Amino acid sequence: QGIKARRTRNEGRVRALQALRTERKARREQTGKASIVVHEAEQTGKRVIEATNLCFGWEDQTIVEKLNATIIRGDRVAIIGPNGCGKTTLVRLLLQKLEPDSGKVRLGTRLEVVYFDQLRAQLEPEKTVQQNLSGGHDTVVVGGKPRHVYGYLQDFLFSPERARSPVRVLSGGERNRLLLAKLFTNEANFLVLDEPTNDLDAETLELLESVLLNFKGTLLLVSHDREFINNVVTSSLVFDDDGMVRFYAGGYDDWLEQKPKSQKLTQPQETKEKPEEQENKKRKITFSQQHELDALPEKIETLEDEQSQLHEKMATPDFYEKEGHHLTEINTRLEKIETELTALYERWQELDALSKK
């Protein structure tokens, strides 16, 4: 009976959470849509990057061998290849952040580079969203003009309350939006984006795509999003199956048409997957995420029960006579509970959406 009652109560809690999710969705829509603007710097020289006979490798892996590549002002270049092939390493080589084993890289003049780091190393997890963006100041300079930090963050779908949250509690999508907000305060004529589409919601992804299409500078993009690549780039640097890195005109689908015939012949055999592998690929939520989702209603219920008890305690007639000295402590705890509940609700909404894909 206890288990049955528990299950019934949890089902009621889930229905309440679904209603709350609808309410929060309405509040999110009232906050507005994401608004991203790239403030363009002065034009670069004609040649942005020129790599000549570039060679580099780790002890157990060759990354590039005798690569010759020229990126011209206005080019939009995707770097395509399987996980672990060295795409980020190639980006760092082209930006002169790594020394090649041989060959050389020349960078063009008047470059103003904005680099979106796949590892999110530019964010400090213990600091708040506001502190990461503006160093704790109330204003941030965007495109040469001061803007209030909360107003600017709302362009990236951060409410003032969320702007005061530490980065460590943010979801992957929120971290992406914060990094975009931070990077786009800088003027740029060369955007280097390493997996910018990971965890972005569809609306922000579409907006980012639109912004990049209107950007008049040069773009270097690393992404696994085939459609995003097809819609944004003009050429591709590809880690082909034979280990060589080659330039191709166009995006992902254009590469499939142009790749060497020997690779095309082996492609169907290489990409053939077992039915269970195909099923796992379709699955959008991991086992650990599903486990986290299942545990959320109970966590939320525990916090809400504590919240109700504290409110009831404060509502008793003799509270301020007997325990008024605990008021500050209780108010602090209530604020903390509210912050934790907000984070749990948002995480529940995010995981629930994944589970329905």
Side-chain angles (χ1 to χ4, degrees):
Q1 287 296 323
I3 294 174
K4 182 178 179 182
R6 182 71 179 175
R7 186 178 66 228
T8 302
R9 185 165 59 169
N10 275 347
E11 288 172 353
R13 174 63 57 194
V14 168
R15 286 194 296 272
L17 287 173
Q18 287 173 338
L20 180 64
R21 193 165 76 249
T22 302
E23 177 189 339
R24 291 188 66 81
K25 182 179 179 183
R27 283 166 51 192
R28 178 189 176 100
E29 289 171 351
Q30 290 171 6
T31 300
K33 296 183 178 180
S35 174
I36 302 173
V37 178
V38 180
H39 299 277
E40 296 182 18
E42 179 187 359
Q43 271 195 347
T44 64
K46 185 176 180 181
R47 291 192 179 186
V48 176
I49 294 177
E50 184 177 25
T52 306
N53 291 323
L54 190 63
C55 297
F56 183 84
W58 306 110
E59 290 183 1
D60 58 346
Q61 180 185 10
T62 299
I63 304 299
V64 291
E65 186 174 358
K66 295 183 179 179
L67 172 65
N68 292 287
T70 301
I71 298 176
I72 303 297
R73 181 180 65 230
D75 281 353
R76 303 162 182 274
V77 182
I79 297 181
I80 299 173
N83 286 333
C85 68
K87 296 187 294 295
T88 297
T89 300
L90 177 55
V91 169
R92 292 174 59 80
L93 282 167
L94 294 177
L95 294 179
Q96 293 185 337
K97 294 181 179 293
L98 278 178
E99 283 289 329
D101 295 335
S102 62
K104 62 181 179 179
V105 175
R106 292 174 57 192
L107 296 181
T109 58
R110 299 190 298 276
L111 288 183
E112 296 291 341
V113 183
V114 161
Y115 184 18
F116 185 100
D117 181 9
Q118 179 188 13
L119 300 178
R120 313 295 180 261
Q122 300 169 57
L123 299 178
E124 298 183 55
E126 295 305 319
K127 291 187 177 181
T128 66
V129 171
Q130 178 185 357
Q131 288 170 336
N132 267 276
L133 179 66
S134 66
H137 299 295
D138 291 335
T139 59
V140 60
V141 177
V142 182
K145 298 178 181 178
R147 285 195 62 185
H148 195 280
V149 66
Y150 289 164
Y152 179 65
L153 282 170
Q154 281 185 328
D155 289 348
F156 293 81
L157 302 181
F158 287 99
S159 66
E161 181 182 1
R162 200 63 172 162
R164 294 188 289 269
S165 302
V167 165
R168 58 182 165 76
V169 306
L170 299 185
S171 65
E174 286 175 320
R175 291 183 186 222
N176 261 5
R177 293 204 306 271
L178 173 56
L179 190 52
L180 288 172
K182 183 176 181 180
L183 294 179
F184 289 158
T185 59
N186 303 309
E187 293 185 344
N189 51 33
F190 185 19
L191 291 179
V192 182
L193 306 181
D194 193 348
E195 297 290 359
T197 61
N198 285 354
D199 303 316
L200 284 187
D201 56 85
E203 179 189 318
T204 308
L205 183 59
E206 289 175 9
L207 182 61
L208 178 60
E209 183 179 304
S210 174
V211 167
L212 295 180
L213 287 173
N214 291 321
F215 178 58
K216 294 181 176 61
T218 307
L219 172 68
L220 187 60
L221 169 71
V222 177
S223 177
H224 287 93
D225 191 321
R226 179 171 174 170
E227 184 178 357
F228 189 79
I229 290 174
N230 285 335
N231 293 342
V232 167
V233 307
T234 56
S235 56
S236 302
L237 266 173
V238 183
F239 286 79
D240 274 326
D241 297 342
D242 59 1
M244 297 299 294
V245 180
R246 296 183 177 91
F247 241 125
Y248 294 89
Y252 195 99
D253 289 347
D254 298 294
W255 160 60
L256 293 180
E257 290 296 322
Q258 299 171 61
K259 65 189 300 187
K261 290 182 179 180
S262 59
Q263 295 183 48
K264 288 183 182 179
L265 291 174
T266 59
Q267 184 72 9
Q269 186 176 2
E270 289 176 0
T271 57
K272 189 174 181 180
E273 296 175 330
K274 297 178 182 178
E276 60 268 24
E277 290 174 341
Q278 293 175 346
E279 185 62 32
N280 288 335
K281 198 171 182 180
K282 292 179 183 177
R283 188 178 177 188
K284 298 295 183 181
I285 188 169
T286 66
F287 176 81
S288 60
Q289 288 173 328
Q290 183 62 55
H291 181 74
E292 182 184 357
L293 175 61
D294 293 340
L296 280 176
E298 185 174 348
K299 288 183 178 179
I300 291 173
E301 183 179 6
T302 300
L303 283 173
E304 287 185 338
D305 286 345
E306 183 183 356
Q307 187 182 50
S308 297
Q309 290 170 10
L310 290 175
H311 282 304
E312 289 175 4
K313 188 174 184 179
M314 294 175 67
T316 56
D318 58 349
F319 170 77
Y320 291 95
E321 295 178 7
K322 295 182 178 179
E323 299 188 70
H325 58 286
H326 292 309
L327 183 60
T328 301
E329 181 182 334
I330 291 176
N331 279 330
T332 300
R333 178 56 186 159
L334 284 171
E335 288 177 5
K336 187 175 181 181
I337 289 174
E338 183 63 31
T339 301
E340 290 177 6
L341 283 173
T342 299
L344 288 174
Y345 285 138
E346 291 181 355
R347 183 62 172 161
W348 194 90
Q349 180 179 348
E350 178 187 352
L351 293 177
D352 187 57
L354 279 177
S355 70
K356 288 181 168 57
K357 289 184 179 181

